Amino acid sequence: MAVLAINGGPKVFEQPIHAPWPEFDQRDEEALLKVFRSGNWWRGGTIESQAASECGKFERAFGALHGTEHALAVFNGTVAVECALRACGVGPGYEVIVPALSFVVSASAALPLGAYPVFADADPDTFQPDADSIEAAITPRTKAIVIVHFGGYPADLDRITAVAQKHNLPLIEDCAHAQGSQWRGRGVGTYGDYGTFSFQQSKSITSGEGGIILCKTAEHRSRAYRYHNLGRLESLGFYDFELLSSNLRLTDLQGALLNSQLEKFPQQMARRMENYAFLSAELRKIGGVDPLPADDRITRHGFYYYIFKYDAAQFGGVHREKFREALAAEGLNVTRAYGRSINEYPLFRNMKVPAEYTKSQYASVRMPVSEDACANRICTFSHTMLLLDRPALTKVVEAIAKVKANIGELK
Ligand SMILES: Cc1ncc(COP(=O)(O)O)c(C=O)c1O
């Protein structure tokens, strides 16, 4: 008689388990209504009104959460990366080093600026951008380095900032996954020249769409400010335009929602970290489904993904995809992040790049660690799973342990 649900046995979860997101209440409604009724739905035209707006308030509050006074709200995480790249002087003729294991934007944001991404591979243990691979990707055309804190687990900022400094290259931290994460007691996004964040619907702080750029100094912010506000300088009049740029401003309705969502965030972050510790300890006991390594330098862990590493050898050689299918049948949806290493997308594979960009001949670029992680090893849950109650999480562990105990049924 089959035990696994995929073979007709009883399911662990009668209904597929689902963690509702976003969490919202009357405070969010009131915050939105306040701006709505004020009739002032943008963040304002003068520097004073911009600072006094909900967006201005959010820049200060989110900046404080990560440990900087210099922040700039924008309308999503994609334009945040683009704006930071432009502020670092990226343009036609340059190369930008980018992570292969990330959401496409970490790499593709350089393309509209006329620059070519050069991929760096991931560390096999943490799945984060690897400092040696970044250094090997540097050429005389390199203008900036983009890294990601994949899933919210910080990349090795000690080693990566050392590489950036050694080669005198600006560093952009794509922190779209890492709201709240800290490295050695300071928020991620403050180690590089710029740190960019997304507040799109699925992120752990959200206003549906939204973004912010943390900037190393006031001067860095001024540079980004020009590109986010139609090429205006803060010091010039409303109709004085200095350079070609677009309008990346966030609305104050979203600013208000971000402020009220941010009030809930510390408590949600504490719940996520507590459940992360529980789930990680339980998965370690099962074996072959290891969480990312504990690291004392990670002093606070924000999440987009809960990541664990599947080891087929400890599951009788059964491939991760079969394991995921078996769990889906049990009512537990295990994802595999974005499914492919960015260099493998047709966007890059089919791109014709002038021959002198030798590291950007994408048809032949291989990122062995990232490709293997995506194809065979990486397993993810949404951060929302870490907001479930303990009985639900215990059943998550039970489902995984059940598949392992009955792995013979999958062979
Ligand atoms: C790593 C990373 N960078 C950038 C972005 C782009 O953010 P947005 O969707 O807000 O444009 C995302 C969005 O998921 C992301 O995951």
Side-chain angles (χ1 to χ4, degrees):
M1 272 261 292
V3 176
L4 295 180
I6 197 170
N7 293 330
K11 298 174 178 184
V12 174
F13 294 99
E14 254 332 296
Q15 295 299 324
I17 186 154
H18 167 69
W21 184 255
E23 295 182 336
F24 56 95
D25 56 28
Q26 210 180 336
R27 282 178 300 165
D28 301 287
E29 208 171 306
E30 281 161 11
L32 274 169
L33 276 175
K34 192 171 154 217
V35 175
F36 177 71
R37 289 186 178 130
S38 78
N40 191 56
W41 299 345
W42 74 327
R43 69 174 304 183
T46 66
I47 293 301
E48 292 73 24
S49 62
Q50 288 180 41
S53 67
E54 291 290 332
C55 287
K57 185 176 157 201
F58 181 69
E59 286 170 351
R60 290 187 290 280
F62 190 79
L65 177 72
H66 278 260
T68 177
E69 290 168 20
H70 312 296
L72 182 67
V74 292
F75 66 71
N76 65 41
T78 302
V79 295
V81 183
E82 265 183 50
C83 182
L85 287 168
R86 289 195 75 181
C88 290
V90 171
Y94 289 119
E95 294 171 354
V96 177
I97 296 171
V98 301
L101 185 48
S102 183
F103 184 60
V104 66
V105 163
S106 305
S108 62
L111 291 169
L113 309 185
Y116 288 111
V118 174
F119 288 101
D121 210 348
D123 177 300
D125 204 25
T126 63
F127 296 151
Q128 302 304 321
D130 175 62
D132 291 334
S133 185
I134 291 172
E135 189 158 31
I138 294 173
T139 77
R141 287 196 177 86
T142 307
K143 190 68 174 172
I145 300 170
V146 178
I147 59 162
V148 66
H149 301 294
F150 192 62
Y153 182 103
D156 187 335
L157 284 164
D158 293 358
R159 296 195 57 218
I160 292 170
T161 52
V163 170
Q165 271 160 24
K166 179 174 157 197
H167 296 274
N168 200 21
L169 287 168
L171 176 67
I172 297 169
E173 298 171 68
D174 182 345
C175 308
H177 294 177
Q179 292 83 355
S181 292
Q182 272 188 353
W183 179 259
R184 294 189 184 276
R186 208 172 89 208
V188 301
T190 67
Y191 283 83
D193 292 73
Y194 293 101
T196 62
F197 293 77
S198 162
F199 303 119
Q200 171 267 344
Q201 179 81 17
S202 63
K203 303 302 189 307
S204 65
I205 300 175
T206 181
S207 50
E209 301 280 2
I212 203 165
I213 307 173
L214 303 185
C215 316
K216 192 174 206 118
T217 64
E219 167 56 29
H220 281 76
R221 187 183 187 277
S222 291
R223 263 182 262 147
Y225 179 91
R226 282 187 299 189
Y227 291 114
H228 111 292
N229 198 10
L230 288 161
R232 293 181 175 104
L233 288 180
E234 282 160 301
S235 52
L236 290 180
F238 195 67
Y239 294 115
D240 289 315
F241 303 102
E242 282 283 304
L243 44 82
L244 178 66
S245 193
S246 192
N247 173 2
L248 316 182
R249 296 185 309 253
L250 188 68
T251 73
D252 233 27
L253 289 158
Q254 286 160 303
L257 190 52
L258 286 170
N259 280 321
S260 63
Q261 285 285 307
L262 190 61
E263 282 177 27
K264 302 182 211 329
F265 184 69
Q267 196 259 347
Q268 290 167 340
M269 188 162 50
R271 272 161 64 202
R272 288 191 189 99
M273 283 174 63
E274 207 178 297
N275 283 330
Y276 172 75
F278 170 77
L279 203 51
S280 299
E282 294 301 314
L283 292 192
R284 276 194 191 95
K285 285 184 207 159
I286 295 174
V289 280
D290 285 334
L292 299 185
D295 185 335
D296 288 347
R297 297 170 299 176
I298 300 171
T299 40
R300 204 170 61 194
H301 195 338
F303 294 93
Y304 182 58
Y305 290 130
Y306 178 92
I307 301 174
F308 60 98
K309 296 179 282 185
Y310 181 75
D311 179 5
Q314 294 195 51
F315 279 76
V318 168
H319 193 268
R320 180 200 59 187
E321 292 308 284
K322 195 76 198 168
F323 165 77
R324 288 177 59 233
E325 267 175 51
L327 281 168
E330 301 294 340
L332 179 63
N333 186 25
V334 177
T335 47
R336 45 179 189 171
Y338 300 112
R340 257 194 279 185
S341 185
I342 304 177
N343 58 298
E344 296 187 295
Y345 289 129
L347 165 69
F348 285 100
R349 280 278 184 255
N350 301 335
M351 197 182 294
K352 297 277 172 282
V353 177
E356 63 266 32
Y357 295 91
T358 54
K359 289 183 185 285
S360 301
Q361 302 304 312
Y362 303 118
S364 57
V365 166
R366 290 284 174 278
M367 292 286 127
V369 176
S370 176
E371 290 174 24
D372 176 50
C374 292
N376 305 309
R377 297 178 64 215
I378 197 165
C379 290
T380 47
F381 291 127
S382 159
H383 66 89
T384 57
M385 291 283 277
L386 296 176
L387 295 174
L388 291 173
D389 61 21
R390 201 47 70 83
L393 280 176
T394 303
K395 280 181 84 173
V396 167
V397 176
E398 189 191 311
I400 296 173
K402 177 183 170 189
V403 169
K404 175 135 191 225
N406 299 283
I407 200 69
E409 280 192 36
L410 296 181
K411 285 193 194 165

